[in-house]
Amino acid sequence: MDSLTQIVLGAAVGEIVGGKRLGNKAPLWGAVAGTIPDLDILFAPHGAIAYHIQHRGFSHSILFAILMAPLLGAIFSWLYRKRHRDFKLWTSLFFWGIFTHPLLDAFTTWGTSLFLPFSRYRVAFKTIFVIDPIYTVPFLICIAVLLFFKRQDPRRRRWAWAGVSISSAYLALTVFLKIQANRITTKALREQGITYTSYMTTLTPLNSLLWAGVAKTEKGYYTGYFSLLDREKKINFHFRPNGLDKLPKSLLENQSFRELPFITEGFYTVTESGDEWQVQDLRFGQLNGWEDPNSPYVMTMDILKKDGSYIFERGSNSIENPKERLLALFDRIF
């Protein structure tokens, strides 16, 4: 999830774990703990492939939380030794502050490597978009309110638990909506006679109602957008070739290129332009695919050939007329 959401979640966890003892220090350091896993971007390598592998890597694993919590617990127990010398309390605060970060990230499209270094498998339930105001805003309000109460006031914990409960209830709702999206997608594929090897459903920005269904075949992908509020659950699928048959053998055998199935979970296409190629990660959808099936994809990589070597760079697609795009998005949802 986005940084603000992780800060809010960490603050709530900090308050629940240590609010009675630490006062406002608890949500403060809880917020810091909730930010720690994303500090991996400060050490992210320049190359696109290495970046995608490292981000949400070991710093988002269960083992990282287990190792970091007692270390930070010892440090903060010493820093606050005059009034709050409590190794167990600080360790608990940092463990839950750090661990809940990747736990929430596991519900996003990117997912998280919870089991590193024992397994590279990324847990990605794909039920919530990385920025979702319905999840974050009520949670933020609850945390802001509790800061106005004194340390021993029981209303602090009530507001913290209210924020956690509301956000968790919404997260549970997104799981239910995901199940419905899967059902609608598979039914539409079956009714239209589309044969596929695997499929996925993924969200459009800022909501949990407008979905994209993507079906994988040997030659490419069928993609269609639909809202769970549509009266007629009819999906217009558009085919996009994967482009792999047009790539040079040297690129197909390139070690970085061979990481793409892992990074994208096997859902990617490649388009060619001379000695340059662009990889589209289908998991994150298009900027406005519900209007134009040929619109740019949100997450891309550029492959350049220089001096006989292939260079992978992170792509960037700017959104033109963002206000109009946002209005069009919500118009399609409802």
Side-chain angles (χ1 to χ4, degrees):
M1 296 292 284
D2 63 286
S3 297
L4 175 60
T5 300
Q6 295 292 5
I7 287 172
V8 171
L9 175 59
V13 170
E15 174 62 31
I16 291 171
V17 172
K20 285 186 177 180
R21 289 280 309 278
L22 305 174
N24 284 340
K25 296 185 186 70
L28 169 63
W29 291 115
V32 171
T35 304
I36 288 174
D38 276 346
L39 295 181
D40 62 353
I41 62 173
L42 299 178
F43 309 99
H46 176 70
I49 296 295
Y51 170 82
H52 280 273
I53 292 175
Q54 179 169 314
H55 183 46
R56 294 196 181 179
F58 181 66
S59 68
H60 287 65
S61 68
I62 299 172
L63 182 60
F64 179 81
I66 292 173
L67 295 176
M68 286 298 295
L71 175 61
L72 292 170
I75 292 173
F76 277 79
S77 183
W78 180 81
L79 288 175
Y80 288 99
R81 59 190 179 277
K82 291 184 178 180
R83 296 188 61 186
H84 305 298
R85 189 182 184 92
D86 191 329
F87 170 75
K88 185 177 179 180
L89 175 64
W90 285 108
T91 298
S92 180
L93 185 151
F94 277 102
F95 173 78
W96 290 109
I98 293 172
F99 176 63
T100 51
H101 178 125
L103 195 62
L104 178 58
D105 278 347
F107 287 86
T108 66
T109 298
W110 195 299
T112 184
S113 303
L114 283 175
F115 306 115
L116 278 177
F118 310 106
S119 171
R120 290 210 309 171
Y121 176 75
R122 286 205 169 189
V123 182
F125 300 123
K126 302 183 183 70
T127 72
I128 190 170
F129 192 73
V130 67
I131 302 175
D132 191 324
I134 298 179
Y135 180 94
T136 305
V137 173
F139 206 168
L140 176 61
I141 292 172
C142 290
I143 300 307
V145 170
L146 73 82
L147 296 176
F148 289 97
F149 297 107
K150 294 182 179 180
R151 179 186 307 180
Q152 298 298 328
D153 194 319
R155 286 175 291 183
R156 285 181 66 105
R157 285 175 64 85
R158 291 174 192 165
W159 278 102
W161 275 113
V164 171
S165 300
I166 294 170
S167 60
S168 297
Y170 176 69
L171 193 61
L173 174 62
T174 67
V175 175
F176 172 76
L177 297 178
K178 170 79 171 182
I179 294 172
Q180 298 306 307
N182 288 347
R183 181 184 61 80
I184 293 170
T185 298
T186 53
K187 181 181 179 182
L189 290 168
R190 184 172 60 252
E191 290 177 346
Q192 296 180 40
I194 297 175
T195 302
Y196 58 94
T197 56
S198 61
Y199 81 96
M200 71 168 181
T201 53
T202 187
L203 279 163
T204 56
L206 306 175
N207 77 100
S208 56
L209 294 173
L210 183 59
W211 293 77
V214 185
K216 181 179 181 180
T217 70
E218 292 184 1
K219 297 295 184 180
Y221 304 85
Y222 288 92
T223 301
Y225 290 83
F226 61 95
S227 170
L228 295 179
L229 300 181
D230 288 343
R231 292 184 178 180
E232 294 185 15
K233 298 298 189 292
K234 182 180 179 181
I235 305 177
N236 294 318
F237 288 101
H238 297 273
F239 182 76
R240 184 183 183 92
N242 57 34
L244 299 180
D245 57 339
K246 298 180 180 180
L247 301 181
K249 184 178 179 181
S250 58
L251 177 56
L252 291 171
E253 294 178 348
N254 180 272
Q255 183 60 40
S256 293
F257 188 87
R258 292 170 68 177
E259 289 283 3
L260 286 177
F262 166 72
I263 293 172
T264 65
E265 298 180 30
F267 285 83
Y268 69 99
T269 59
V270 185
T271 54
E272 180 183 7
S273 178
D275 283 340
E276 297 183 6
W277 298 265
Q278 185 185 72
V279 178
Q280 296 88 27
D281 189 335
L282 307 189
R283 297 174 303 158
F284 295 92
Q286 297 162 279
L287 294 177
N288 60 320
W290 51 92
E291 292 181 320
D292 178 10
N294 296 314
S295 66
Y297 278 81
V298 173
M299 187 72 72
T300 62
M301 296 184 207
D302 296 324
I303 306 175
L304 313 176
K305 190 173 184 180
K306 186 176 182 181
D307 299 328
S309 299
Y310 294 104
I311 301 172
F312 292 73
E313 297 180 348
R314 281 180 281 170
S316 61
N317 289 314
S318 59
I319 301 177
E320 297 181 1
N321 302 317
K323 184 178 180 180
E324 292 182 11
R325 295 274 66 80
L326 186 62
L327 292 174
L329 169 66
F330 285 101
D331 182 63
R332 177 61 187 87
I333 293 172
F334 300 105

